[in-house]
Amino acid sequence: FIEKIAILESIKNKKDKSLKEDALLLFAINDADPDISDVAMKAIDWEIESNLDKAKQDLKHIATFSKHPEQKSQAIYLLAGMNDKLLSSDFETWSKDPSYKIAAASLYAMQKIKKVEALEIAQQLEPNADAQLFDQIATTYATLADSSSPFFEDNLMKRFGTERNSLMKNYGIWAKRFGLEIQNKFWQTIKDRAQNDENDWTRFYAFETMNTFLKDNKTMTTAAEAELIKLAEAEKDIKIRKQLQRLKLLESDKITK
């Protein structure tokens, strides 16, 4: 095991691999040990189209029969890179896997090739999703849901910590696709988190989300930028204020020592 890993790692670190080395990596993805298979999958240069073509059936076999979620999800992510609509029924089947890691990879893959079906799958997976799967669901809604979707407003206060932070980011991506009414509603919702969230870092991520939202956004006025700076000046936590300086929402001389 140790010797196999060492060989694969040495090949992985090479910038220009020989045809023989590529062939060895492609062979190693079928190793019975999932750790070795995983290292091989990560070592292969998937930008080379012939590698994907040669490995397609092997990756599909791993995604179908592997009992190891990490290995299986890695194979699905690689298959997603093929943008092959003929794999859509497989992705849909794998999205029902009890492993959230595998379901997340499958939803990601469906989002690339069958948008309507991906949104339907996201709706089915949403109620019981854990952090990793929920993040992919939110990404799917941000990209595909229409302006009538209540997903972000319904879920923002139900999620905490990193899930809420990720949700705010995706909420901004979704809102930016639509007009002023939705963008203003987003702005007021995230502004409330920047002012009132009990979690210090969620307040920071709210500031960061609002700052990102204003970039290249012709819908929001310059008054919104002034409002954001005023909110930043009112923040009391020294750690957050230092991060707001990094975002250029605070001047360095406005940071309390």
Side-chain angles (χ1 to χ4, degrees):
F1 172 83
I2 294 175
E3 289 179 355
K4 284 184 179 181
I5 291 291
I7 291 170
L8 294 177
E9 287 288 355
S10 68
I11 297 173
K12 176 183 175 181
N13 294 326
K14 284 189 176 182
K15 189 172 182 180
D16 297 310
K17 300 178 181 65
S18 68
L19 292 175
K20 185 176 180 180
E21 287 168 335
D22 276 334
L24 178 60
L25 292 173
L26 289 167
F27 177 78
I29 67 174
N30 293 297
D31 196 279
D33 190 309
D35 291 328
I36 292 172
S37 174
D38 188 56
V39 170
M41 282 192 278
K42 290 175 180 175
I44 293 170
D45 185 354
W46 297 109
E47 296 295 320
I48 300 174
E49 193 171 336
S50 61
N51 283 341
L52 277 173
D53 291 337
K54 292 173 185 175
K56 182 177 179 179
Q57 292 306 315
D58 291 332
L59 292 172
K60 188 174 177 180
H61 185 272
I62 291 168
T64 303
F65 296 107
S66 175
K67 296 180 181 179
H68 304 277
E70 186 68 39
Q71 181 190 32
K72 189 165 184 168
S73 62
Q74 177 73 2
I76 293 170
Y77 278 120
L78 293 172
L79 288 169
M82 297 181 184
N83 293 314
D84 185 352
K85 291 186 177 181
L86 294 177
L87 290 169
S88 61
S89 60
D90 295 301
F91 293 141
E92 186 171 0
T93 297
W94 297 329
S95 73
K96 298 179 176 66
D97 195 283
S99 165
Y100 290 141
K101 187 184 291 286
I102 294 167
S106 304
L107 178 55
Y108 167 82
M110 280 297 285
Q111 184 179 324
K112 296 188 69 175
I113 58 173
K114 290 283 184 88
K115 299 185 185 305
V116 173
E117 290 84 348
L119 192 56
E120 291 173 352
I121 290 171
Q123 291 166 344
Q124 294 165 10
L125 294 173
E126 178 191 336
N128 301 309
D130 78 338
Q132 180 178 0
L133 177 55
F134 186 79
D135 185 51
Q136 181 57 55
I137 290 169
T139 300
T140 301
Y141 271 93
T143 307
L144 303 179
D146 64 27
S147 60
S148 66
S149 174
F151 172 80
F152 293 101
E153 287 288 337
D154 285 354
N155 281 283
L156 188 63
M157 297 309 295
K158 296 177 184 176
R159 300 282 171 165
F160 302 93
T162 56
E163 289 183 44
R164 182 176 289 178
N165 300 342
S166 176
L167 194 61
M168 289 191 295
K169 177 195 72 175
N170 280 299
Y171 189 1
I173 294 170
W174 174 79
K176 209 168 184 178
R177 293 169 48 213
F178 305 108
L180 188 59
E181 182 179 355
I182 286 176
Q183 293 199 21
N184 278 336
K185 188 174 183 180
F186 157 81
W187 187 262
Q188 295 303 318
T189 300
I190 304 304
K191 182 175 80 171
D192 181 66
R193 292 302 89 215
Q195 290 176 304
N196 301 315
D197 204 281
E198 294 179 356
N199 185 294
D200 293 344
W201 289 109
T202 295
R203 290 204 310 279
F204 165 69
Y205 279 109
F207 279 112
E208 187 175 53
T209 298
M210 295 167 75
N211 191 49
T212 300
F213 187 75
L214 289 178
K215 291 178 180 177
D216 302 319
N217 189 339
K218 297 179 180 178
T219 305
M220 301 294 285
T221 65
T222 53
E225 185 176 351
E227 181 180 33
L228 181 56
I229 291 173
K230 187 174 180 180
L231 286 172
E233 290 173 347
E235 173 61 50
K236 302 299 184 186
D237 188 281
I238 186 63
K239 300 187 301 296
I240 305 307
R241 288 177 67 84
K242 286 182 178 179
Q243 293 301 316
L244 295 176
Q245 179 190 1
R246 180 177 62 80
L247 296 178
K248 302 189 185 308
L249 294 177
L250 282 178
E251 297 174 10
S252 57
D253 61 354
K254 289 192 176 183
I255 293 189
T256 303
K257 302 297 183 184

